[in-house]
Amino acid sequence: MGEAIHFFHTNGYANRFLKIHEETNQTLTNNHEECSWYEEVIDDDLKWSFALKRVLHKGISDYQEIALLDTKRFGKVLVIDGKMQSAEVDEFIYHECLIHPALICHPEAKTVFIMGGGEGSAAREALKHKSLEKVVMCDIDQEVVDFCRRYLTVNQETFCHKKLNLVINDAKAELEKRDEKFDIIVGDLADPVEGGPCYQLYTKSFYEKILKPKLNENGIFVTQAGPAGIFTHKEVFTSIYNTIKQVFKYVVSYTAHVPSFADTWGWVMASDQPFSINAEDIDKRIEARINGELLYLNGASFLSSATMNKTVTLSLLNETHIYTEESARFIHGHGVAYRR
């Protein structure tokens, strides 16, 4: 084993100290002194840390700071701009909630456009639906896509699927240049952080002028909307919800606890057609439409997830902020552009 070195992984607020070995692919032992820890800064006075086996990849692309870590508790995890994006052991919670409600609520979706989603998990879940003829996954960062294809073996078949059209481009530019419309548009974007590549894709002008015109008549838009916990829901969740309400007639917010995120997470689904479906019908559509089994979502759990506690309900009702490029809200952290 080589001599230990020190690596400082910076997100613009604080240094997250990693003690690693020159052979970064060498699995670390259980000896306490040799155990490396990764720390994510959730807020100025709060950190979330987990023990590492090894660092699979680290670097800075043209758009964001990237790390792929092999952790003891959560398996392989993808970290972008200092924020956990996905963990191997529980990513199914996030991605099932992101993808299936919109596809189940739609009469018979045939086309999906995914903004972001470079790891491939959102596309994997979408491709379980028998009715789909085409899934476009548009991610801005080739480096993220490349190392996810290499290391996240669970999605290797997804990247080779004949119905998947993988595009490396800015999602806004890609939607603008395409003549076609889609049944479902998915926002599987990184969280809006100052200087990050994604915050403009949470704005009213983007939803109204670019995204909505690319939906078919019965089209549904769904996006991840950031942390939605009792203490964190006002960071961006309520603002994203209120912004989408200005553009679409019918808007549904829902949440689920994601252990690796150390918080409850939020999603927002919207359409100009009403959402009218009960738990029994959801279960019937899951059984009829989807290849394979879902691990998290069923009719009862989805309806439950759309019922907020009193505090969050009042915050959603009383939110007045509308997300614009001039008045954007950000979660804690900074992107690459901010640090240049």
Side-chain angles (χ1 to χ4, degrees):
M1 184 174 289
E3 182 180 354
I5 61 173
H6 297 99
F7 167 65
F8 288 87
H9 192 72
T10 307
N11 77 341
Y13 276 104
N15 290 327
R16 294 186 299 283
F17 174 79
L18 294 178
K19 180 182 178 184
I20 61 177
H21 295 272
E22 288 179 344
E23 296 91 343
T24 56
N25 288 330
Q26 173 69 45
T27 300
L28 300 177
T29 71
N30 290 325
N31 184 292
H32 178 72
E33 292 183 355
E34 292 186 347
C35 184
S36 299
W37 289 78
Y38 174 86
E39 288 184 348
E40 177 177 328
V41 180
I42 296 175
D43 211 330
D44 290 327
D45 58 356
L46 185 64
K47 293 180 180 179
W48 169 234
S49 62
F50 38 94
L52 295 178
K53 291 181 179 178
R54 55 182 175 171
V55 178
L56 297 173
H57 176 92
K58 54 184 174 64
I60 299 178
S61 72
D62 291 338
Y63 304 101
Q64 47 208 352
E65 186 180 22
I66 307 159
L68 189 64
L69 312 174
D70 191 3
T71 72
K72 293 186 176 182
R73 174 61 64 93
F74 298 115
K76 295 173 185 175
V77 304
L78 175 64
V79 179
I80 292 180
D81 283 335
K83 299 297 179 184
M84 171 87 78
Q85 302 298 309
S86 176
E88 189 175 24
V89 300
D90 66 1
E91 55 86 6
F92 66 91
I93 303 173
Y94 171 93
H95 290 105
E96 286 188 15
C97 288
L98 174 68
I99 294 297
H100 296 298
L103 280 160
I104 292 298
C105 288
H106 193 280
E108 190 181 16
K110 296 187 181 299
T111 56
V112 173
F113 186 97
I114 300 171
M115 303 186 296
E119 69 182 90
S121 297
R124 180 197 69 219
E125 292 301 316
L127 288 165
K128 291 179 179 178
H129 285 256
K130 302 171 187 176
S131 67
L132 286 185
E133 298 174 354
K134 182 180 184 179
V135 175
V136 179
M137 187 182 87
C138 180
D139 197 283
I140 197 171
D141 202 327
Q142 180 76 61
E143 186 171 348
V144 169
V145 173
D146 286 346
F147 77 71
C148 286
R149 292 182 74 165
R150 178 180 178 184
Y151 290 109
L152 300 184
T153 55
V154 68
N155 293 331
Q156 284 183 349
E157 289 186 8
T158 299
F159 283 106
C160 299
H161 202 289
K162 63 182 180 180
K163 294 182 181 179
L164 180 67
N165 179 7
L166 173 60
V167 178
I168 303 300
N169 196 7
D170 172 69
K172 178 181 177 181
E174 187 66 24
L175 281 173
E176 280 183 309
K177 78 175 188 179
R178 284 180 175 256
D179 295 327
E180 63 190 306
K181 294 187 178 184
F182 297 88
D183 294 320
I184 308 287
I185 296 180
V186 178
D188 188 18
L189 302 163
D191 301 321
V193 295
E194 194 166 4
C198 296
Y199 78 92
Q200 295 177 343
L201 303 185
Y202 292 96
T203 61
K204 180 176 181 286
S205 61
F206 172 69
Y207 294 149
E208 190 171 50
K209 297 176 181 178
I210 298 172
L211 187 148
K212 188 176 180 180
K214 297 300 181 180
L215 281 171
N216 285 321
E217 184 178 354
N218 292 320
I220 297 174
F221 168 57
V222 62
T223 183
Q224 80 92 7
I230 194 75
F231 298 122
T232 55
H233 64 277
K234 289 185 178 180
E235 291 179 2
V236 295
F237 177 60
T238 56
S239 176
I240 292 170
Y241 171 81
N242 187 57
T243 303
I244 293 173
K245 274 199 341 181
Q246 313 306 309
V247 179
F248 291 89
K249 293 180 180 178
Y250 302 96
V251 181
V252 175
S253 60
Y254 55 101
T255 65
H257 180 68
V258 181
S260 62
F261 290 176
D263 207 346
T264 299
W265 216 252
W267 298 265
V268 178
M269 182 170 66
S271 179
D272 278 347
Q273 303 298 322
F275 299 106
S276 180
I277 190 169
N278 58 38
E280 184 179 357
D281 288 338
I282 291 173
D283 288 334
K284 287 179 179 178
R285 290 188 182 185
I286 289 173
E287 184 177 359
R289 296 183 179 188
I290 293 177
N291 288 314
E293 293 285 331
L294 299 187
L295 298 176
Y296 180 80
L297 200 70
N298 60 18
S301 68
F302 174 67
L303 295 186
S304 175
S305 73
T307 303
M308 306 290 138
N309 63 62
K310 181 179 179 180
T311 296
V312 176
T313 297
L314 290 174
S315 295
L316 289 169
L317 288 173
N318 296 327
E319 182 63 76
T320 59
H321 181 263
I322 297 173
Y323 215 102
T324 68
E325 292 185 18
E326 295 74 29
S327 64
R329 286 183 181 175
F330 303 105
I331 66 170
H332 192 281
H334 283 154
V336 168
Y338 183 92
R339 299 195 295 274
R340 284 174 174 166

